[in-house]
Amino acid sequence: MITKEDLATPVKPTWCPGCGDFGIWLAVKQALMQLDAKHEDVVIVYGIGCSGHMCNFVRGYGFEGLHGRPIPVAEGIKLANKKLKVIVVTGDGDTYGEGMNHFISGIRGNHDVTLIVHDNRVYGLTTGQASPTAEKGYKSKSTPTGQIEVPVNPIALAVAQDGSFVARGFSADPQQLIKLIVAGVQHKGFSVIDVLQNCATFNKVNTVTWFKEHTYKLEDEGHDPRDKVAAFTRAIDETRLATGIFYQDEREPYDQDVPGERGVPLVDHDLSEADITRTMNEFL
Ligand SMILES: Cc1ncc(C[n+]2csc(CCOP(=O)(O)OP(=O)(O)O)c2C)c(N)n1
Ligand code: SF4
């Protein structure tokens, strides 16, 4: 079991007061404690953004790399050692902007990775430019006359692309988010958890109050997560944003499907006879 003490770091969060990142941080830690896992069995890969700063506030095995690229790093870690539970914690700019191709590939491959996206509809760390989930007309310093494009709809995209676990949480509802994260990590395959999150400093439109007024829970309306058509119908309804599990099914994750020798994780390769002299000599 992972304890509160295992996860504690001496670093105090640097997020702005009132930021939704605090609620997601709480939920991530609580979920890790509820999972049947040892500390060394979990790796978290972080994106670059305010969201990714969480790497400083959660003690454990982790990697903070390049903006837009945490998903392929996580997939590589899982392929090298499939016994690990691999989680990505990142932002909407990171995932649905520069990282969008990796988002789609991760879903297509059904890599056994849990993706937690802080969806605050802005680029928080770089001071509030509109992100790909910003609504049409949204004014920011990068869109002074209003966002021209329609927003990316990550839930509808994930359902349409045959995602095997598609969910949405809300930073101000950590209890529901804990359940979603635990279910996502337990799910064998790529689990998408988009988390509605307020950016208290730069997004003055999508506030906690705004999200509360525009959301409802799927479980309150008897939604069946095995019903893909119902999941898609709810996903494209942008007037009422649903939270909970939209869709879940069982299919083999990527690491189970890799054929032959390539399917043996690196961690299980016998390296006792490996001779790298020739390779090393090339660099002499
Ligand atoms: C390759 C690369 N491109 C762009 C940047 C600049 N950059 C850093 S953070 C960021 C946006 C972060 O926004 P988001 O992913 O939504 O996270 P948030 O800060 O809102 O949590 C950008 C564009 C970078 N560091 N590296
Ligand atoms: S800029 Fe926004 S997302 Fe970043 S810490 Fe401040 S409130 Fe949170």
Side-chain angles (χ1 to χ4, degrees), residues 117-165:
V117 184
H118 295 53
D119 189 353
N120 55 15
R121 304 181 174 198
V122 289
Y123 287 11
L125 190 66
T126 47
T127 68
Q129 299 82 0
S131 88
T133 51
E135 276 184 44
K136 190 170 170 58
Y138 177 78
K139 288 191 178 152
S140 70
K141 59 174 69 164
S142 61
T143 55
T145 56
Q147 171 84 344
I148 294 171
E149 298 101 322
V150 294
V152 159
N153 182 330
I155 301 290
L157 271 178
V159 173
Q161 191 48 69
D162 209 14
S164 65
F165 183 104

Side-chain angles (χ1 to χ4, degrees), residues 226-238:
R226 289 163 304 181
D227 185 340
K228 192 182 260 192
V229 174
F232 193 75
T233 305
R234 289 182 186 273
I236 59 174
D237 180 0
E238 295 190 359

